[in-house]
Amino acid sequence: MIAFTFGLVILLALGVGLLSRRGASDEVGDFLVGSRSFGPLLFFVLGAGESYSIGTLIGFPGGLYAGGASYGVWFVSYILLGYCIGYLYTPYLWAAGKRYGAMTLPDVGGSHFRSRGLELTLAISFVAFLIPWGQLQLGGLQAAMSGLGLRIDPTVAALAGAALALVFLMLSGLRAPAFVSYVKDAALLLSALFIGVAAITKAGGTQQLFADVATTHADSHFTITGSRLTFAVTTILFQAVGFYAFPFIAQTVFTSRSVTDLKKVMRLNPLYMLMYPFLVAAAFSAITLVPDQLTGAQTNNALMLVSRLVLPDWATGIVAAGAALCAVVVLCGTALGIGAMVSRNIVPGIPESRQRSTVRIVIVVYMVVSLLLTLAFPRVLLALVNTAYFGITQTVIVFAAMVFGWKLRPMLMATGIIIGDILVLWWYLDTHGPISRWLTEQGINLGLAAFAVNALFVLVTRFIWPATNPVPGMRSYLQGRLQAVRQEVA
Amino acid sequence: MQNEGKSALLVVALPFLGLVGGVIALSGNRATVLGFPAVLAWVFLWIPLASLLMHIAWTRFDRPDFTLLHEALDDVVPEPLHPVEASAAPTTTSPTDQEGTR
């Protein structure tokens, strides 16, 4: 029965993916940003589809199970506060995308500041730090499949996930994951609801469910103290700021057909997060229900193990399908984002007519690299979320300067990004080094520490060597446009 | 855009201070709300609250400007994308576009 409902949901997704070909064109703009034509509903579904990866359905409960309340707090808070920033910021990003005909974030940064060096720095930094994101999706997929209790080899599961993502992308580019997101979001929300309610019912109510955990894990799972609190707070701040610097999240912003639709939809984004209390209940119930203590990468299996204990087989099939589609849809967005950046921003001079085929080649390469990393280095999923943000958030100064028109030289912003990236990689890899050890002991997010140096460098150079002819910000651009329309109306 | 400051206070400053401040204040507290740890319950409270604050910002401050902006950006002709292309091709910015950027 598990296999039946799992297969049914995946088949439904395939059917919807095929439907996405209707209305698609061969132009690269349609392949990458859906010709900037998505209405509010499709835009909302795609935005949610790309935001909630398998990190939510599989990684989040696993992280809570292993790390306690601090993991739940930072994970939910940073997305929520990311949306708050997005409500103000995304209209500027969308307008910049329209103004420059941009399809990637480096398109926006490079064109706004008229700097090839900045464009290249952004693109290389994004591509490098998006590699863990593919690993996150395929690793989560393995966990979802291995927790099913079926005889599916984890390698085959990861291969099948990558192949399915490839099929969707070859069908119609970004339109396919957008359409498949209807099925994925329904499966994800139903999964969270089913498993949360079933866990609460089995425990005899929420009070009893959490009271059972409190007897053994009161400190770690009910309170956040010392360095865990510092880590939670620094991670919330750092990752909330970086949320819309994720290239594939930004790419979804470009798909909206109008800035008014975009702003209206942004109000609704937080409501999608009402699924998290159900996932928290499921994660806490894993502590008392799963007989063996899970450790390391095994904790990724917590949700699927609970699912098999509290849900009927048909519902577990839906949970597993939801997890698989989360991985596949986000893998599509990530691969498409990387393909777009390589063909438009890193390799120079590829005409738009040939970019679509180049994007496809890069997508295949990215899938292979992600697969190899997943098979060679199994990791705790939420740790991979942190790793991707380490580098991606280093770029936000560029986009803040684009909005506000700060007097910053593009090459100095690019240098700041490189400094941030090098520092964070150094501290991340040199785990026994004095700085890395001190930051970890204090609980300070490594990415935030590197970002502080990056920001300090940019700030100091802003006063020593400000841009003599700074590019006006998008705020003044939009105000100018508004003023022009008001005068026309008057 | 005229009321963007008020919108920013409501949608960004208030949730950042409220949510993070509450997390710090409740971090050592073992109290529960419907069984959930208080610190997690506080975070969950901000989910509908954030949406509500955005809705208030939209209806009270942002709607008139963004309805006009839709019209203002409708006829934007994309500027050449890459600096290299920009030097090779003539610019196609409209008069209003230039007004906004200078």
Side-chain angles (χ1 to χ4, degrees):
Chain A
M1 198 60 182
I2 292 179
F4 176 74
T5 46
F6 175 82
L8 204 65
V9 177
I10 299 293
L11 272 179
L12 185 64
L14 260 174
V16 174
L18 280 170
L19 274 180
S20 71
R21 285 176 67 86
R22 287 169 61 181
S25 82
D26 285 338
E27 287 177 19
V28 70
D30 195 75
F31 194 70
L32 297 180
V33 292
S35 301
R36 300 180 210 282
S37 64
F38 289 3
L41 180 62
L42 187 56
F43 171 65
F44 173 73
V45 169
L46 175 65
E50 294 293 354
S51 303
Y52 300 100
S53 75
I54 201 154
T56 286
L57 193 54
I58 299 293
F60 174 73
L64 252 177
Y65 171 92
S70 70
Y71 275 72
V73 164
W74 73 249
F75 194 89
V76 177
S77 303
Y78 95 79
I79 299 175
L80 187 59
L81 293 177
Y83 282 144
C84 293
I85 293 173
Y87 176 81
L88 287 184
Y89 165 66
T90 51
Y92 292 110
L93 180 64
W94 183 89
K98 178 135 177 148
R99 181 182 180 187
Y100 301 117
M103 296 175 210
T104 67
L105 273 183
D107 276 353
V108 171
S111 299
H112 183 80
F113 292 101
R114 296 278 183 260
S115 167
R116 170 72 183 141
L118 182 61
E119 177 189 355
L120 201 58
T121 308
L122 285 169
I124 292 172
S125 179
F126 284 140
V127 170
F129 283 92
L130 274 180
I131 288 172
W133 214 253
Q135 194 186 353
L136 167 69
Q137 307 314 317
L138 293 177
L141 189 64
Q142 282 184 319
M145 295 302 106
S146 64
L148 272 179
L150 302 174
R151 284 184 194 160
I152 300 174
D153 187 89
T155 310
V156 174
L159 266 171
L164 192 59
L166 266 179
V167 168
F168 284 144
L169 286 176
M170 297 306 157
L171 281 172
S172 56
L174 192 65
R175 282 178 185 274
F179 276 68
V180 173
S181 288
Y182 282 112
V183 182
K184 174 244 168 178
D185 286 347
L188 171 61
L189 293 174
L190 278 178
S191 299
L193 194 67
F194 281 168
I195 202 163
V197 170
I200 291 165
T201 310
K202 190 168 178 81
T206 51
Q207 299 280 6
Q208 192 56 45
L209 188 155
F210 289 99
D212 290 346
V213 179
T215 54
T216 53
H217 293 72
D219 281 337
S220 63
H221 284 63
F222 283 70
T223 62
I224 313 172
T225 50
S227 62
R228 291 192 308 131
L229 178 63
T230 313
F231 180 76
V233 171
T234 54
T235 302
I236 291 168
L237 298 177
F238 180 65
Q239 296 191 175
V241 169
F243 188 71
Y244 277 96
F246 258 71
F248 55 87
I249 304 278
Q251 218 163 321
T252 65
V253 169
F254 298 145
T255 63
S256 176
R257 72 180 169 203
S258 87
V259 71
T260 321
D261 284 351
L262 170 80
K263 196 86 170 168
K264 282 182 187 169
V265 166
M266 291 305 294
R267 295 173 303 167
L268 303 175
N269 278 337
L271 296 179
Y272 200 99
M273 303 181 73
L274 289 170
M275 71 178 151
Y276 279 108
F278 295 98
L279 289 174
V280 167
F284 272 67
S285 73
I287 295 166
T288 47
L289 290 179
V290 177
D292 300 323
Q293 176 76 31
L294 306 173
T295 53
Q298 282 180 335
T299 56
N300 298 333
N301 297 335
L303 186 97
M304 289 313 298
L305 292 173
V306 170
S307 179
R308 285 174 59 202
L309 290 168
V310 301
L311 286 177
D313 283 353
W314 65 267
T316 296
I318 293 178
V319 174
L325 288 177
C326 281
V328 168
V329 165
V330 176
L331 201 56
C332 284
T334 316
L336 203 60
I338 286 184
M341 287 188 286
V342 172
S343 63
R344 292 175 67 81
N345 308 118
I346 294 181
V347 181
I350 301 177
E352 288 213 344
S353 55
R354 278 184 43 216
Q355 282 175 6
R356 194 175 149 140
S357 52
T358 316
V359 170
R360 286 177 163 165
I361 296 167
V362 177
I363 285 170
V364 174
V365 173
Y366 176 64
M367 296 287 185
V368 172
V369 171
S370 300
L371 259 174
L372 292 176
L373 281 172
T374 308
L375 300 176
F377 306 106
R379 296 275 312 275
V380 175
L381 297 178
L382 286 202
L384 290 169
V385 174
N386 296 140
T387 313
Y389 273 95
F390 282 166
I392 284 168
T393 309
Q394 304 300 330
T395 63
V396 296
I397 294 170
V398 174
F399 301 103
M402 178 189 81
V403 172
F404 295 108
W406 293 337
K407 291 181 181 172
L408 302 174
R409 288 177 185 269
M411 284 319 292
L412 293 176
M413 286 190 281
T415 310
I417 292 171
I418 294 167
I419 291 172
D421 285 351
I422 290 174
L423 284 178
V424 80
L425 278 177
W426 169 35
W427 295 335
Y428 177 65
L429 297 172
D430 179 32
T431 46
H432 299 297
I435 300 175
S436 174
R437 217 173 44 223
W438 184 81
L439 289 169
T440 309
E441 279 168 10
Q442 300 301 314
I444 297 168
N445 185 301
L446 298 182
L448 183 67
F451 182 73
V453 179
N454 167 4
L456 189 67
F457 170 80
V458 173
L459 188 69
V460 169
T461 54
R462 151 72 181 77
F463 289 105
I464 295 174
W465 196 26
T468 46
N469 188 20
V471 184
M474 285 303 295
R475 278 192 87 204
S476 65
Y477 170 79
L478 289 189
Q479 275 160 355
R481 286 249 157 206
L482 259 181
Q483 210 172 346
V485 172
R486 282 203 186 102
Q487 280 167 359
E488 272 176 37
V489 173
Chain B
M1 315 299 282
Q2 291 164 332
N3 291 311
E4 203 177 27
K6 292 175 192 166
S7 199
L9 276 176
L10 199 63
V11 173
V12 177
L14 190 59
F16 264 81
L17 290 173
L19 197 157
V20 177
V23 164
I24 294 168
L26 291 168
S27 59
N29 196 324
R30 287 192 187 182
T32 59
V33 179
L34 298 171
F36 285 84
V39 68
L40 276 169
W42 177 254
V43 172
F44 294 148
L45 173 72
W46 278 93
I47 294 174
L49 211 51
S51 199
L52 180 68
L53 291 173
M54 287 182 204
H55 180 70
I56 294 170
W58 171 253
T59 49
R60 299 212 46 178
F61 306 131
D62 300 328
R63 185 156 49 191
D65 282 348
F66 277 87
T67 310
L68 262 185
L69 256 185
H70 174 64
E71 202 181 316
L73 294 172
D74 207 30
D75 60 343
V76 167
V77 179
E79 294 170 22
L81 196 58
H82 298 282
V84 182
E85 288 171 19
S87 60
T91 51
T92 53
T93 44
S94 63
T96 44
D97 203 42
Q98 289 170 6
E99 191 181 347
T101 54
R102 285 177 186 167

